[in-house]
Short mmCIF file of all heavy atoms in Angstrom, two decimals:
data_model
loop_
_atom_site.label_atom_id
_atom_site.label_comp_id
_atom_site.label_asym_id
_atom_site.label_seq_id
_atom_site.Cartn_x
_atom_site.Cartn_y
_atom_site.Cartn_z
N TYR A 34 -1.27 -0.44 10.60
CA TYR A 34 -1.06 0.17 9.16
C TYR A 34 -1.51 -0.78 8.06
O TYR A 34 -0.91 -1.85 7.80
CB TYR A 34 0.45 0.39 9.05
CG TYR A 34 0.82 1.66 8.13
CD1 TYR A 34 1.37 2.88 8.59
CD2 TYR A 34 0.39 1.58 6.75
CE1 TYR A 34 1.60 3.98 7.58
CE2 TYR A 34 0.61 2.66 5.85
CZ TYR A 34 1.12 3.75 6.36
OH TYR A 34 1.46 4.88 5.58
N THR A 35 -2.64 -0.41 7.46
CA THR A 35 -3.23 -1.24 6.52
C THR A 35 -3.07 -0.69 5.09
O THR A 35 -3.25 0.74 4.84
CB THR A 35 -4.65 -1.37 6.76
OG1 THR A 35 -4.82 -2.10 8.04
CG2 THR A 35 -5.38 -2.20 5.60
N CYS A 36 -2.65 -1.29 4.07
CA CYS A 36 -2.51 -0.90 2.70
C CYS A 36 -3.63 -1.52 1.84
O CYS A 36 -3.77 -2.76 1.90
CB CYS A 36 -1.14 -1.07 2.03
SG CYS A 36 0.00 0.05 2.66
N LEU A 37 -4.35 -0.73 1.05
CA LEU A 37 -5.33 -1.09 0.24
C LEU A 37 -4.57 -1.10 -1.11
O LEU A 37 -4.25 -0.13 -1.70
CB LEU A 37 -6.42 -0.19 0.03
CG LEU A 37 -7.74 -0.41 0.73
CD1 LEU A 37 -8.82 0.76 0.43
CD2 LEU A 37 -8.36 -1.87 0.36
N LEU A 38 -4.34 -2.38 -1.74
CA LEU A 38 -3.33 -2.50 -2.86
C LEU A 38 -4.06 -3.02 -3.96
O LEU A 38 -4.88 -3.84 -3.99
CB LEU A 38 -2.24 -3.41 -2.50
CG LEU A 38 -1.26 -3.73 -3.58
CD1 LEU A 38 -0.34 -2.60 -4.07
CD2 LEU A 38 -0.24 -4.88 -2.96
N GLY A 39 -3.87 -2.47 -5.20
CA GLY A 39 -4.39 -2.87 -6.50
C GLY A 39 -4.21 -2.03 -7.62
O GLY A 39 -3.78 -0.81 -7.40
N PRO A 40 -4.55 -2.51 -8.86
CA PRO A 40 -4.24 -1.68 -10.05
C PRO A 40 -5.28 -0.61 -10.08
O PRO A 40 -6.28 -0.57 -9.38
CB PRO A 40 -4.43 -2.74 -11.17
CG PRO A 40 -5.42 -3.72 -10.55
CD PRO A 40 -5.08 -3.73 -9.22
N SER A 41 -5.01 0.40 -11.06
CA SER A 41 -5.85 1.51 -11.23
C SER A 41 -7.09 1.05 -11.55
O SER A 41 -7.34 0.10 -12.42
CB SER A 41 -5.22 2.33 -12.33
OG SER A 41 -6.01 3.50 -12.48
N GLY A 42 -8.21 1.68 -10.98
CA GLY A 42 -9.65 1.36 -11.28
C GLY A 42 -10.22 0.24 -10.59
O GLY A 42 -11.39 -0.08 -10.78
N CYS A 43 -9.50 -0.34 -9.64
CA CYS A 43 -10.12 -1.59 -8.89
C CYS A 43 -11.00 -1.14 -7.76
O CYS A 43 -11.50 -2.11 -7.24
CB CYS A 43 -8.87 -2.49 -8.35
SG CYS A 43 -8.02 -1.79 -7.06
N GLY A 44 -11.03 0.01 -7.40
CA GLY A 44 -12.00 0.49 -6.45
C GLY A 44 -11.52 0.91 -5.06
O GLY A 44 -12.19 1.04 -4.10
N LYS A 45 -10.13 1.12 -5.12
CA LYS A 45 -9.48 1.56 -3.85
C LYS A 45 -9.92 2.95 -3.34
O LYS A 45 -10.29 3.02 -2.23
CB LYS A 45 -7.98 1.60 -4.05
CG LYS A 45 -7.33 0.37 -4.78
CD LYS A 45 -5.70 0.60 -4.69
CE LYS A 45 -5.38 1.63 -5.77
NZ LYS A 45 -5.76 1.27 -7.24
N SER A 46 -9.89 3.92 -4.23
CA SER A 46 -10.34 5.27 -3.79
C SER A 46 -11.76 5.36 -3.40
O SER A 46 -12.10 5.94 -2.45
CB SER A 46 -10.06 6.30 -4.92
OG SER A 46 -8.60 6.44 -5.11
N SER A 47 -12.52 4.58 -4.10
CA SER A 47 -14.08 4.62 -3.78
C SER A 47 -14.17 4.13 -2.37
O SER A 47 -15.06 4.58 -1.61
CB SER A 47 -14.78 3.82 -4.85
OG SER A 47 -14.65 4.30 -6.16
N THR A 48 -13.49 2.94 -2.12
CA THR A 48 -13.62 2.24 -0.70
C THR A 48 -13.32 3.39 0.30
O THR A 48 -13.89 3.62 1.26
CB THR A 48 -12.63 1.09 -0.71
OG1 THR A 48 -13.19 0.09 -1.75
CG2 THR A 48 -12.84 0.43 0.68
N LEU A 49 -12.06 4.04 0.07
CA LEU A 49 -11.52 4.89 1.05
C LEU A 49 -12.43 6.17 1.22
O LEU A 49 -12.69 6.57 2.36
CB LEU A 49 -10.15 5.40 0.63
CG LEU A 49 -9.20 5.88 1.72
CD1 LEU A 49 -8.78 4.76 2.52
CD2 LEU A 49 -8.04 6.67 1.19
N ARG A 50 -13.00 6.55 0.01
CA ARG A 50 -13.83 7.83 0.09
C ARG A 50 -15.17 7.42 1.00
O ARG A 50 -15.74 8.38 1.60
CB ARG A 50 -14.15 8.28 -1.33
CG ARG A 50 -12.90 9.09 -1.78
CD ARG A 50 -13.33 9.95 -2.98
NE ARG A 50 -13.98 9.43 -3.96
CZ ARG A 50 -13.56 8.95 -5.11
NH1 ARG A 50 -12.19 9.11 -5.30
NH2 ARG A 50 -14.17 8.37 -5.97
#
Side-chain angles (χ1 to χ4, degrees):
Y34 205 117
T35 296
C36 283
L37 263 183
L38 173 68
S41 178
C43 73
K45 306 181 295 296
S46 294
S47 299
T48 302
L49 203 72
R50 289 201 303 262

